[in-house]
Amino acid sequence: MTNTSQELSTKHILGIKYLQKSDIDLILDNAVHFKEVINRPIKKVPSLRDVTIANLFFENSTRTKISFELAEKRLSADVVNFSASGSSVKKGETLLDTVNNILSMKVDMVVMRHPAPGAHHFLAQNIDASIVNAGDGTHEHPTQALLDAFSMREKLGSLSGKKVLIVGDIKHSRVALSNIFCLQKLGAKVRVCGPPTLIPKHIPSLGVEVSYDIEDSLRWCDVANILRIQLERQDIKYIPSLREYAQYFGVNKKLLDRLDKEIVVMHPGPINRGVEISSDVADSEHSIILQQVENGVAVRMAILYLLANKRNSSKLVS
Ligand code: NCD
């Protein structure tokens, strides 16, 4: 196993942009150990006994919420869950008041999903708990990018020099931006492909290639990470119809059969079958979509474990 005595450079996971390559390597290496733990008959370890974690979800979530909760419970943390619907947020309470009330119940870490980009930075400046960003609007989703990188590394070895394609709604996807930052820090080459209306104009300035040709892009890549059209975030119509999108950018078996090479297919979920990905690809041997979900728990265990270590060591110093 890896050196688990090393420490993260940061007390929070606000975005991949703020992590060093050594932090990413440390998280991925520790996740290898935790993946082994969650495949044991007894999946629970006592690492976070006496640590209390609040999961605050101000936006919908299935996978991410369950994944964090499982990770926390398998580390023996005490867990409280909060979702905005049915809470006092609906009665006009501010974010800071909501969180301060929860913190007075002696919470050590906050895992939060929030529609406002930057909400996590605001909290990190105002409260003492460690903050983990579980998705902030269209901005970043760092733990998804880390589990994606872990899943790619597991399949392909080192990501240095590997070609990763991100397909779809780049404009509204926090998974896209976090993946771009993470893959570049790990030395991979990144290309995005989708309709011009869904690719922001500033993307090339991040050092990312842009293509509007799905077949050429699939031929270019080692891995294709396929994203959902974020219909809930579109204030205007960016594509004529989902049927037309599926026709021009949907990844299906016919396309993959024309490539004469094997590629790895990924998707962060939730999948819209028949739109961005066909069932015969999502359920094929190319797809590692369910491995991504399994790896998500191990990667989040590694993140929470390393953040708890960081908190302990800074308490010892002060
Ligand atoms: C993603 C998200 O919420 O940003 N899903 C996830 O966390 N697994 C992607 C999406 O909603 O399309």
Side-chain angles (χ1 to χ4, degrees):
M1 230 297 277
T2 336
N3 181 5
T4 42
S5 66
Q6 274 175 276
E7 216 176 66
L8 289 174
S9 68
T10 163
K11 190 182 148 192
H12 310 284
I13 305 290
L14 301 178
I16 300 287
K17 191 172 177 186
Y18 312 102
L19 295 182
Q20 297 174 5
K21 178 175 186 293
S22 57
D23 294 321
I24 297 175
D25 287 335
L26 186 62
I27 292 168
L28 301 188
D29 289 345
N30 273 269
V32 174
H33 165 67
F34 285 114
K35 180 151 183 188
E36 187 263 309
V37 168
I38 59 175
N39 280 293
R40 288 179 194 165
I42 296 169
K43 301 171 175 55
K44 212 163 169 166
V45 286
S47 318
L48 295 199
R49 225 168 41 197
D50 298 327
V51 174
T52 306
I53 306 181
N55 298 317
L56 312 184
F57 280 75
F58 294 87
E59 250 193 16
N60 296 343
S61 173
T62 308
R63 255 157 303 271
T64 306
K65 196 162 166 222
I66 293 175
S67 181
F68 266 111
E69 202 175 329
L70 268 182
E72 291 153 2
K73 289 184 168 161
R74 296 208 160 140
L75 290 166
S76 308
D78 293 320
V79 181
V80 285
N81 288 307
F82 162 95
S83 21
S85 56
S87 74
S88 293
V89 172
K90 299 277 177 246
K91 300 180 188 168
E93 188 169 64
T94 66
L95 173 63
L96 192 54
D97 280 336
T98 304
V99 175
N100 266 330
N101 274 279
I102 293 167
L103 289 184
S104 20
M105 303 176 211
K106 304 277 178 277
V107 166
D108 304 291
M109 291 191 211
V110 171
V111 172
M112 184 169 82
R113 171 168 286 191
H114 198 279
H120 301 76
H121 284 83
F122 171 72
L123 271 199
Q125 281 159 11
N126 286 286
I127 64 173
D128 181 46
S130 291
I131 313 289
V132 182
N133 181 355
D136 59 338
T138 57
H139 181 222
E140 276 227 40
H141 191 352
T143 62
Q144 179 70 42
L146 289 162
L147 79 87
D148 288 346
F150 180 88
S151 307
M152 288 181 214
R153 204 178 77 157
E154 201 174 49
K155 198 79 191 162
L156 302 169
S158 162
L159 296 189
S160 177
K162 295 288 182 327
K163 295 176 181 159
V164 182
L165 175 68
I166 306 176
V167 185
D169 186 355
I170 312 300
K171 188 179 176 71
H172 300 100
S173 168
R174 52 195 172 209
V175 177
L177 191 60
S178 286
N179 259 270
I180 290 169
F181 290 143
C182 189
L183 292 164
Q184 288 182 332
K185 287 186 187 199
L186 295 174
K189 296 190 182 102
V190 184
R191 181 191 280 201
V192 297
C193 177
T197 47
L198 291 177
I199 298 186
K201 295 211 166 34
H202 70 268
I203 281 285
S205 70
L206 298 178
V208 171
E209 279 184 34
V210 175
S211 166
Y212 307 117
D213 181 339
I214 186 69
E215 188 165 340
D216 175 69
S217 296
L218 290 170
R219 207 161 262 130
W220 171 85
C221 73
D222 300 304
V223 185
N225 199 354
I226 301 165
L227 306 177
R228 182 177 68 88
I229 303 284
Q230 307 258 316
L231 287 173
E232 74 278 25
R233 299 192 197 279
Q234 306 198 358
D235 40 356
I236 58 166
K237 239 174 172 306
Y238 288 88
I239 48 172
S241 69
L242 290 180
R243 213 169 85 171
E244 189 167 319
Y245 179 82
Q247 194 179 335
Y248 287 99
F249 294 98
V251 177
N252 54 49
K253 186 165 181 305
K254 236 196 246 161
L255 253 179
L256 293 192
D257 286 346
R258 285 209 293 267
L259 301 182
D260 298 325
K261 70 182 265 205
E262 295 277 302
I263 64 163
V264 178
V265 173
M266 302 176 64
H267 193 306
I271 294 177
N272 282 322
R273 287 175 183 264
V275 181
E276 71 272 6
I277 189 167
S278 63
S279 283
D280 53 14
V281 172
D283 304 329
S284 72
E285 72 284 6
H286 298 285
S287 154
I288 58 162
I289 296 173
L290 291 177
Q291 280 104 300
Q292 287 175 262
V293 179
E294 178 184 351
N295 292 338
V297 178
V299 168
R300 290 180 173 115
M301 284 172 86
I303 292 168
L304 297 167
Y305 168 78
L306 290 165
L307 284 177
N309 276 359
K310 181 78 180 172
R311 280 180 78 72
N312 280 340
S313 70
S314 52
K315 267 188 220 147
L316 292 178
V317 172
S318 58

